[in-house]
Amino acid sequence: MSDPKADRLALARRRGKRIAIGCFAFSMGMLGAAYASVPLYELFCQVTGYGGTTQRAEAGPAAVSDRSINVRFDSNASPGVPWRFQPNERQVTVKLGEVRQTSYHVRNEADYPVTAVATFNVTPLSAGVYFNKLYCFCFNEQTLQPGEAVDMPVVFFVDPAMLEKEELKDAPTITLSYTFFPVSKGEAPVAAARQGGAEDQL
């Protein structure tokens, strides 16, 4: 005859083991979801244009519309990036579907190397899904040596399908905005760090 007490103890152990395995699997699932959330969110933004996220394209559209739109360019650098950062053109007028190249001028005003990366968005936010970039310096780490200055190109077009959206059918001015954030501050002296960041807004 089996021992009821031993049977209850064995049952409790099996139940505890199942609970422990379940908790471990749940923890691993949550960890995986945390790592996946950033790329999934970026993918969601790129597909929907959410938050003014622009699109990436391999080539311009086959047709160019007769309708034109104004595109303004905005530039910002966070306090940890002592760069002078400004568009070489404040505003351009382009036809919908026309591929256009412009550039931003960047100069490191610190006496030490600075590495930064740029994020971007467009306004109106609903225009993000129609603003396509063929080439952009955004999301790539940029390192400038002391006093170094470079021009960073942007190649883009605005999809003519934008006119099909009710709030955009009048082709409002689109503003493309970039902000540089520090990646590595390096051996920046305290006095230099207090200088803050260069900022040039429209």
Side-chain angles (χ1 to χ4, degrees), residues 3 36 70 73 82 96 99-100 115 117 145 158 171-172 177 188 195 202:
D3 185 353
N70 294 323
F73 303 101
L96 295 174
V99 174
R100 180 65 180 266
T115 300
V117 65
Q145 299 303 314
V158 182
S177 180
Q195 293 176 0
L202 298 180

Side-chain angles (χ1 to χ4, degrees), residues 150-161:
V150 296
D151 284 330
M152 297 182 177
V154 179
V155 182
F156 69 93
F157 68 89
V158 182
D159 194 330

Side-chain angles (χ1 to χ4, degrees), residues 66-73 89-96 98-102 156 158 171 173-174:
D66 291 333
R67 295 284 302 276
S68 295
I69 189 169
N70 294 323
V71 180
R72 299 173 68 243
F73 303 101
E89 298 176 283
R90 295 288 181 177
Q91 179 172 301
V92 297
T93 300
V94 297
K95 291 183 177 181
L96 295 174
E98 174 190 356
V99 174
R100 180 65 180 266
Q101 177 171 329
T102 188
F156 69 93
V158 182
T173 295
I174 292 178

Side-chain angles (χ1 to χ4, degrees), residues 32-159:
Y35 277 105
S37 63
V38 172
L40 288 176
Y41 179 74
E42 288 182 359
L43 178 62
F44 169 76
C45 289
Q46 290 170 4
V47 171
T48 64
Y50 179 77
T53 301
T54 63
Q55 306 301 297
R56 296 178 184 175
E58 296 297 325
V64 177
S65 171
D66 291 333
R67 295 284 302 276
S68 295
I69 189 169
N70 294 323
V71 180
R72 299 173 68 243
F73 303 101
D74 177 56
S75 57
N76 307 276
S78 70
V81 183
W83 290 358
R84 177 172 263 313
F85 175 44
Q86 59 190 24
N88 285 319
E89 298 176 283
R90 295 288 181 177
Q91 179 172 301
V92 297
T93 300
V94 297
K95 291 183 177 181
L96 295 174
E98 174 190 356
V99 174
R100 180 65 180 266
Q101 177 171 329
T102 188
S103 62
Y104 282 75
H105 187 75
V106 190
R107 177 183 174 84
N108 180 9
E109 299 192 328
D111 59 0
Y112 52 90
V114 176
T115 300
V117 65
T119 61
F120 62 89
N121 76 314
V122 300
T123 53
L125 299 181
S126 56
V129 72
Y130 303 103
F131 196 101
N132 294 266
K133 286 189 289 188
L134 298 170
Y135 181 83
C136 175
F137 56 85
C138 49
F139 291 137
N140 293 321
E141 292 185 8
Q142 310 288 339
T143 299
L144 296 184
Q145 299 303 314
E148 182 181 3
V150 296
D151 284 330
M152 297 182 177
V154 179
V155 182
F156 69 93
F157 68 89
V158 182
D159 194 330

Side-chain angles (χ1 to χ4, degrees), residues 174-193:
I174 292 178
T175 299
L176 174 64
S177 180
Y178 288 96
T179 301
F180 268 111
F181 292 94
V183 173
S184 175
K185 294 183 179 180
E187 301 291 329
V190 175

